[in-house]
Amino acid sequence: RYSNKKKAITTLQKYCRSWYTRQAYTTLVRATVDLQAFVRCRQARLQYVNKVGVSVTVQALIRSSLARRKYVKAKNGVTQLQAVCRQAVAREDYLATRTLAIQNQRCARGFVARQRFARTISSIIQ
């Protein structure tokens, strides 16, 4: 009778220990799965944030490059327009100065010619 009780107690202890061990193992597996899920979620989130950051940076670089090209094109156009305007103003100034120089030369030559003519007339008359 003692041996039957001992067997029964041993069997009961075996089942209890295996149940507790299974419960501990199941808890450990669930905790491990939860931790892995958390880590994978965090990694995916960081990877997404990194990709978004990279795409925003690439978009910013492209937009700045396009804006720079547009600015340089407009600047070159304005520079050419200024050059044409300055050239026209300089040409007008040159032509005005040339006209005045020609008028001064004409007056000076006329004056010199009148003086020669006056000397020639005075030498002929004497």
Side-chain angles (χ1 to χ4, degrees):
R1 184 169 190 230
Y2 174 73
S3 104
N4 286 339
K5 282 184 182 180
K6 189 172 180 182
K7 272 185 183 181
I9 290 172
T10 307
T11 304
L12 186 61
Q13 285 177 345
K14 181 175 98 171
Y15 284 122
C16 286
R17 285 182 186 144
S18 68
W19 183 81
Y20 280 122
T21 306
R22 268 195 309 277
Q23 288 297 319
Y25 175 74
T26 305
T27 304
L28 184 63
V29 166
R30 285 183 186 155
T32 303
V33 168
D34 289 344
L35 182 62
Q36 287 174 344
F38 174 77
V39 168
R40 288 183 182 135
C41 181
R42 179 157 171 76
Q43 286 176 341
R45 192 171 26 254
L46 289 175
Q47 191 177 27
Y48 171 76
V49 168
N50 189 21
K51 284 183 181 180
V52 167
V54 167
S55 66
V56 167
T57 303
V58 168
Q59 288 173 353
L61 288 173
I62 290 171
R63 286 185 185 127
S64 68
S65 175
L66 292 175
R68 194 174 306 112
R69 284 182 189 170
K70 186 177 178 181
Y71 168 75
V72 167
K73 188 175 181 180
K75 182 183 171 192
N76 289 341
V78 168
T79 303
Q80 288 176 351
L81 183 63
Q82 286 175 342
V84 168
C85 290
R86 288 179 180 152
Q87 182 183 12
V89 168
R91 183 163 180 77
E92 287 177 13
D93 288 346
Y94 167 74
L95 291 177
T97 304
R98 183 175 170 216
T99 304
L100 290 176
I102 290 171
Q103 287 177 354
N104 287 340
Q105 288 174 353
R106 189 175 358 165
C107 291
R109 287 181 184 140
F111 177 75
V112 170
R114 282 190 296 278
Q115 282 185 343
R116 278 189 198 153
F117 181 71
R119 273 188 251 142
T120 304
I121 293 290
S122 68
S123 69
I124 291 175
I125 295 178
Q126 290 178 354

